[in-house]
Amino acid sequence: MPENSRLHAVMVPFPLQGCITPHLQLAQHLISSYDFFVTFVNTTYNHERLMRLQAAETRQLESSSRIKFVHVPDGLPEDDKHGADLARFRAAMLALEPVFADLFQQLLNESPVTCIIRDVYMPSAHKPATKLGIPVVGFSTMSAVTLWCLDHVETYFAEGLLPLPAASDHQLAKSLQQAQIDEEAAMREHPITCVPGVPPVVKVKHLPSAFLDNDVAVIKHFTQFQNPLMHDCDLVLLNTFEELEALVLEAMQAKGFNVCPVGPLLFSPSFNVDSAVAANSFISQTSSTLWLEDETSLVWLDQQKPSTVTFVSFGSIARISIEQVWELAYGLEMSNQPFLWVIRPDLIRQEDSDSHAQFLTSFSSFVERIKGQALMVPWVPQMKVLSHPSISAFLTHCGWNSTLESISSGVPMLGWPFFSDQILNCQYITQVWKIGVDFERQSSGGLILREEISRKVRAMHEEVHEVNLLRTRAKELQKLAQRTHTKGGSSQMNMATFVEHIGAHLEAEDSVRGIGCSQ
């Protein structure tokens, strides 16, 4: 650690890209604006990916000796490093407590540690830190409303909202099966009125999907591990901003939850909304770090007309069936609108090798046929794409990072959530913030059909009252988001408060040790 740095944060993200990226963005802010030294802890698998594909800004931080990247083993088999088996993934992360105990002690032996900033999903880093007397700061990379709803798991059971009725046994009489189906449907439509600050448009069906599936391991994770330790944190940072989730944040603080919104962290620490000229001048270069970004997408966008392109991306984890890929592909083609589609190598569920091989051949022909209308790439610099003037709408899985990036770019959304917090984010996008629309699953298998895809993509490019309202609201939220990290902005002030809080704790420790501060 540099001798002129008194503040040393050890950051422990949950080992998925959607969590690692905002941790890197937070590290950039702490280093650039508050003279922190950061030890960044990844699992070995993600550490190697990061070192191989890290962004230029991250390399610059590392070369300046302001950040050190270290790694720990994750205990997962080689065929499941992406978290496909979430139960096994969570169990492996909980088992890391002794690993963190050794690491934190080693770091303390080398230099003082001001605080551990741990992902709220990483409770295994909590007790090792507190045993060593190191303050623990939680960091939530999800929306405030999601964190707040997760904190009320036991309330849902006490109120009778969960668990949902068990799936019908095929041997039961049809009338009884139908009764159970009707009961479950009614329960899913019940408003969440037992969580302060959450509007009645949020219903049981919008809760994280694992709760609705009655996943015992997940419920245990929150009730026994995450939620209790989250409240024990000295402070909880959130990658959101006051103007976006005011009611929920007020409710959390009223209940004694020590939360501090400091987002959107995607803005560069040097961003000034009044002097930013280039559209991309405010973007943190840590916005996408674990996939190789295809810059040809920006060249292609330069060739398109303003506000004409639909950007399609489902994030870094979601997978879809071959059947759904074809519905989406044909729906986009039928819209007659240009589109940029991110197709990761692992986006498509491989039901069986034969059908997948056949699909690849057929899809190659499709790509060739529509090359005048579209571009399909494995990954893009997403924030640069969203802030490009040719982008008109974002067809998104509604992950929190993507949601913040779309808001910060003033781009309305077409919500296509898959699981976890994405459903709740989508409900806020469409019904609370009113900056997007969603799709209907029109078959028993949950398939979204090409006709609806085509119709809604076309609608997002029309000059009609409803769509103009979405655009106007999106631009209004963009302005609010951009001002959060300028001088006097809500997140800038909250970040300063956090640093002051941690600094005060350090001064108190120095006083106890008889060190004191020079006047």
Side-chain angles (χ1 to χ4, degrees):
M1 184 175 78
E3 291 184 2
N4 63 340
S5 267
R6 294 188 68 246
L7 299 174
H8 176 196
V10 178
M11 303 189 70
V12 187
F14 192 71
L16 295 176
Q17 172 162 317
C19 300
I20 293 171
T21 296
H23 276 79
L24 279 170
Q25 293 167 348
L26 175 60
Q28 184 183 8
H29 280 269
L30 294 177
I31 291 166
S32 301
S33 301
Y34 300 98
D35 200 31
F36 268 76
F37 176 77
V38 171
T39 299
F40 201 91
V41 185
N42 262 319
T43 57
T44 301
Y45 172 75
N46 285 314
H47 172 80
E48 292 173 349
R49 291 180 70 195
L50 182 64
M51 293 300 102
R52 188 166 60 247
L53 298 171
Q54 60 183 301
E57 186 96 358
T58 311
R59 287 197 297 271
Q60 182 179 350
L61 287 173
E62 187 179 27
S63 64
S64 68
S65 301
R66 308 301 303 180
I67 188 168
K68 177 174 70 173
F69 294 97
V70 301
H71 56 96
V72 296
D74 57 23
L76 289 165
E78 288 301 318
D79 63 348
D80 188 20
K81 298 292 187 180
H82 295 282
D85 186 336
L86 283 176
R88 180 165 62 177
F89 202 77
R90 287 192 184 91
M93 295 309 104
L94 286 173
L96 288 178
E97 191 169 308
V99 176
F100 287 132
D102 291 342
L103 174 63
F104 296 163
Q105 184 61 67
Q106 177 187 335
L107 294 173
L108 272 177
N109 292 340
E110 297 171 359
S111 63
V113 175
T114 309
C115 63
I116 304 294
I117 300 179
R118 66 152 181 105
D119 197 305
V120 294
Y121 277 142
M122 290 294 280
S124 53
H126 192 107
K127 290 181 180 178
T130 56
K131 285 181 179 179
L132 292 169
I134 307 173
V136 179
V137 175
F139 180 34
S140 171
T141 61
M142 65 192 89
S143 64
V145 68
T146 296
L147 184 68
W148 193 221
C149 284
L150 291 175
D151 193 57
H152 285 77
V153 180
E154 292 174 309
T155 303
Y156 308 139
F157 283 87
E159 293 287 328
L161 300 178
L162 292 179
L164 294 177
S168 299
D169 189 304
H170 71 280
Q171 294 180 339
L172 293 175
K174 287 187 177 181
S175 59
L176 182 55
Q177 284 185 5
Q178 188 59 51
Q180 287 186 332
I181 291 171
D182 293 343
E183 181 186 2
E184 179 179 345
M187 288 182 67
R188 285 176 176 270
E189 294 295 329
H190 197 288
I192 299 294
T193 57
C194 55
V195 182
V198 176
V201 293
V202 175
K203 302 177 181 179
V204 170
K205 66 181 180 181
H206 301 126
L207 292 174
S209 51
F211 296 162
L212 305 186
D213 295 336
N214 298 324
D215 190 323
V216 176
V218 172
I219 293 169
K220 180 180 179 182
H221 176 89
F222 285 101
T223 56
Q224 296 187 19
F225 301 112
Q226 177 174 302
N227 291 347
L229 289 180
M230 191 164 60
H231 284 268
D232 286 342
C233 291
D234 289 57
L235 194 74
V236 177
L237 302 175
L238 298 98
N239 191 18
T240 188
F241 56 102
E242 291 180 3
E243 295 84 348
L244 187 67
E245 299 190 81
L247 293 178
V248 169
L249 290 167
E250 289 172 7
M252 297 173 86
Q253 291 161 348
K255 291 293 184 179
F257 209 151
N258 195 10
V259 293
C260 189
V262 295
L265 291 164
L266 54 91
F267 293 114
S268 168
S270 60
F271 170 62
N272 185 327
V273 69
D274 296 318
S275 61
V277 178
N280 297 326
S281 63
F282 58 86
I283 301 168
S284 165
Q285 294 303 308
T286 55
S287 60
S288 185
T289 56
L290 300 182
W291 290 84
L292 183 62
E293 296 173 342
D294 190 332
E295 294 279 348
T296 61
S297 57
L298 299 175
V299 177
W300 182 83
L301 287 173
D302 287 340
Q303 300 167 358
Q304 309 305 312
K305 295 178 181 179
S307 301
T308 58
V309 178
T310 300
F311 174 48
V312 184
S313 179
F314 295 131
S316 59
I317 298 177
R319 298 184 180 186
I320 56 180
S321 67
I322 288 175
E323 185 180 11
Q324 183 63 86
V325 169
W326 279 122
E327 290 297 319
L328 176 56
Y330 288 136
L332 291 169
E333 181 184 22
M334 289 165 56
S335 73
N336 292 319
Q337 293 292 330
F339 60 93
L340 171 61
W341 184 2
V342 173
I343 302 185
R344 304 186 325 265
D346 62 346
L347 174 64
I348 301 160
R349 294 201 304 261
Q350 299 186 22
E351 291 89 349
D352 61 76
S353 57
D354 292 338
S355 64
H356 191 259
Q358 183 179 4
F359 163 79
L360 291 176
T361 301
S362 301
F363 199 73
S364 296
S365 300
F366 170 80
V367 172
E368 180 65 23
R369 187 175 78 239
I370 63 158
K371 62 182 181 181
Q373 179 186 359
L375 178 68
M376 280 163 275
V377 293
W379 201 251
V380 297
Q382 183 161 294
M383 191 61 195
K384 290 181 180 179
V385 165
L386 283 169
S387 59
H388 195 283
S390 69
I391 296 296
S392 178
F394 183 18
L395 200 165
T396 172
H397 66 306
C398 303
W400 187 238
N401 289 335
S402 291
T403 299
L404 280 180
E405 289 171 1
S406 200
I407 287 172
S408 300
S409 303
V411 176
M413 287 170 267
L414 287 158
W416 188 316
F418 288 81
F419 49 74
S420 189
D421 63 329
Q422 298 164 15
I423 300 99
L424 182 55
N425 292 341
C426 185
Q427 186 67 356
Y428 261 68
I429 288 166
T430 59
Q431 301 301 317
V432 178
W433 302 318
K434 299 185 186 302
I435 53 175
V437 297
D438 57 4
F439 295 95
E440 297 178 8
R441 265 80 176 166
Q442 295 185 357
S443 73
S444 58
L447 204 65
I448 300 177
L449 303 180
R450 66 190 70 177
E451 291 82 7
E452 186 192 7
I453 295 168
S454 174
R455 183 174 68 255
K456 289 191 173 174
V457 168
R458 283 199 311 273
M460 294 298 283
H461 296 86
E462 295 174 352
E463 292 295 332
V464 295
H465 179 68
E466 292 80 1
V467 176
N468 285 334
L469 286 177
L470 297 180
R471 295 183 188 128
T472 299
R473 182 60 179 151
K475 292 299 182 184
E476 289 172 350
L477 282 183
Q478 178 191 25
K479 292 177 182 177
L480 292 174
Q482 288 183 347
R483 292 196 175 275
T484 58
H485 278 283
T486 59
K487 186 176 180 179
S490 60
S491 293
Q492 186 271 335
M493 294 177 66
N494 288 334
M495 187 79 80
T497 298
F498 155 66
V499 175
E500 182 180 350
H501 174 86
I502 290 299
H505 189 282
L506 179 63
E507 290 176 7
E509 289 293 311
D510 288 348
S511 177
V512 169
R513 297 189 187 100
I515 299 175
C517 298
S518 58
Q519 300 296 320

